[in-house]
Amino acid sequence: MKIALALGSGAARGLAHIGVLKFLEENDIKPDIITGSSMGAFLGSLYATGLSVREMEKIAKELNWRKLGGYLDISLRHGLIEGQKFEDFLSHLIPVDTFENCKTTLGLVSTDLTSGEKMYHAAGPLIPAIHASMAFPGIFSPVVAGKDVLLDGGLVEPVPYGIAQSLGADFIIGVNVVPHVSHHFKKIPATKTFFHRFTESHLNAPLLEEWLMKFKHDKSPAQTESVFQVFYKSLIILQNSLADAEFSQYKDTSVQIRPVLKRVRLFDFYRAEEIIEQGYQAAAQRGKTIKKRYQQALKEHSE
């Protein structure tokens, strides 16, 4: 009987996974398999390679733009960030370099830009696979691996149930941190500039907004939605549909945890403590259901 923990995509919202792991540890629920998409791939890899929840909390709370800036190689060719320095950052944190050396079975998801198919990674070099799973389009350049051109796993499997089953899971705990559209966006006054609306709604990066404002002002007619809001809302709608469909397919052998993370934006890493706590509380609320369903799956598996 193998239990899997499937950690979904969600940028800063993904820090809630640490709270879920903390709850599971406290209740002696140890996954045999960990799967991850995007931010879930990063945090799942940390845990699967032997880092403790306490160490993961420390890393999360120390994340900031200044620290990350040294590991970002800016490029405008295929994305804002080329990614080689980001792999150096991952190598600095991840204590092993291959899937085979992980302490817990690990599987990651990325998207093949050429075919549109999901790609499962469970063997071979680990760091490039994490990078590929986190390569959010427009932010990171795609990762080229042989003939494959790879992007963020959240585009095809925002909560990685499928790969968990393919790795032999009998029971899956899925963690879905994709926001509901109504929970994520706040109204930005239409009189504000285009860049002000974008940064306030998504990035919480006043310095970036100030820098951008030196170059351009939005003089178009007042709108309540920026082009970035339209794009990002569309992506969230797609991810919610994919996640719901995936869960429906595996619901007989799965339990889903969905933290309430209202107004947590893409890069709100400075709110790590709050987000981790929300993940813990969401897991605690589902604790009895998880234990009951797990015992039921164990019984069915032994029959």
Side-chain angles (χ1 to χ4, degrees):
M1 173 73 177
K2 292 185 178 180
I3 181 171
L5 179 63
L7 303 178
S9 62
R13 292 184 302 276
L15 296 177
H17 297 321
I18 300 174
V20 173
L21 284 163
K22 185 176 183 179
F23 174 82
L24 295 178
E25 274 197 356
E26 289 179 358
N27 287 271
D28 297 320
I29 301 173
K30 181 172 176 57
D32 304 290
I33 300 164
I34 295 176
T35 61
S37 285
S38 198
M39 191 62 176
F42 171 57
L43 294 172
S45 296
L46 290 178
Y47 194 72
T49 54
L51 271 73
S52 68
V53 169
R54 181 174 295 183
E55 288 172 318
M56 292 170 66
E57 281 189 276
K58 184 175 185 293
I59 290 169
K61 291 174 183 179
E62 290 178 353
L63 281 177
N64 58 60
W65 284 104
R66 178 173 294 181
K67 186 171 184 177
L68 287 173
Y71 292 100
L72 302 181
D73 38 4
I74 304 302
S75 169
L76 298 178
R77 294 175 59 195
H78 306 294
L80 293 175
I81 301 166
E82 193 65 35
Q84 184 54 55
K85 287 186 177 180
F86 182 64
E87 289 198 8
D88 294 338
F89 168 72
L90 294 174
S91 298
H92 176 71
L93 294 176
I94 305 290
V96 305
D97 58 2
T98 66
F99 282 89
E100 289 79 4
N101 289 328
C102 291
K103 294 186 177 181
T104 303
T105 300
L106 176 67
L108 308 180
V109 183
S110 68
T111 304
D112 188 338
L113 185 61
T114 304
S115 66
E117 299 292 327
K118 60 183 70 175
M119 294 287 289
Y120 288 168
H121 308 267
L126 178 57
I127 301 302
I130 301 171
H131 180 190
S133 187
M134 297 182 71
F136 189 82
I139 303 297
F140 284 96
S141 295
V143 175
V144 179
K147 295 181 180 180
D148 300 321
V149 181
L150 306 176
L151 282 172
D152 196 295
L155 298 173
V156 288
E157 204 165 292
V159 185
Y161 291 104
I163 187 172
Q165 188 186 60
S166 74
L167 290 172
D170 301 295
F171 179 71
I172 306 169
I173 300 172
V175 187
N176 184 354
V177 293
V178 176
H180 295 289
V181 172
S182 59
H183 288 178
H184 185 65
F185 293 90
K186 66 178 181 178
K187 293 292 185 181
I188 305 297
T191 54
K192 292 191 176 182
T193 68
F194 168 85
F195 288 116
H196 196 139
R197 291 202 303 273
F198 171 62
T199 53
E200 188 170 334
S201 178
H202 300 295
L203 302 182
N204 191 32
L207 291 178
L208 174 60
E209 192 262 344
E210 181 181 340
W211 180 80
L212 291 169
M213 284 290 294
K214 293 179 181 179
F215 297 92
K216 182 174 180 178
H217 290 273
D218 181 11
K219 297 181 181 179
S220 62
Q223 300 178 21
T224 58
E225 304 280 347
S226 74
V227 64
F228 291 100
Q229 283 181 305
V230 172
F231 166 77
Y232 191 53
K233 279 188 177 182
S234 300
L235 180 61
I236 287 174
I237 292 168
L238 174 63
Q239 286 189 311
N240 272 301
S241 296
L242 287 171
D244 290 345
E246 195 85 0
F247 179 60
S248 295
Q249 184 177 351
Y250 298 104
K251 65 181 180 181
D252 292 339
T253 55
S254 303
V255 170
Q256 182 166 260
I257 298 170
R258 189 155 196 182
V260 178
L261 299 167
K262 293 184 179 181
R263 309 300 186 206
V264 177
R265 292 163 288 197
L266 279 173
F267 302 114
D268 278 359
F269 293 102
Y270 74 99
R271 296 170 64 182
E273 187 170 356
E274 169 194 350
I275 297 168
I276 291 169
E277 178 60 23
Q278 288 296 325
Y280 182 90
Q281 293 301 328
Q285 289 173 10
R286 298 287 284 163
K288 289 184 179 179
T289 301
I290 291 171
K291 293 175 183 178
K292 180 179 178 181
R293 292 291 304 280
Y294 176 66
Q295 290 300 322
Q296 180 182 342
L298 190 62
K299 181 179 179 182
E300 291 174 354
H301 184 75
S302 62
E303 290 177 352

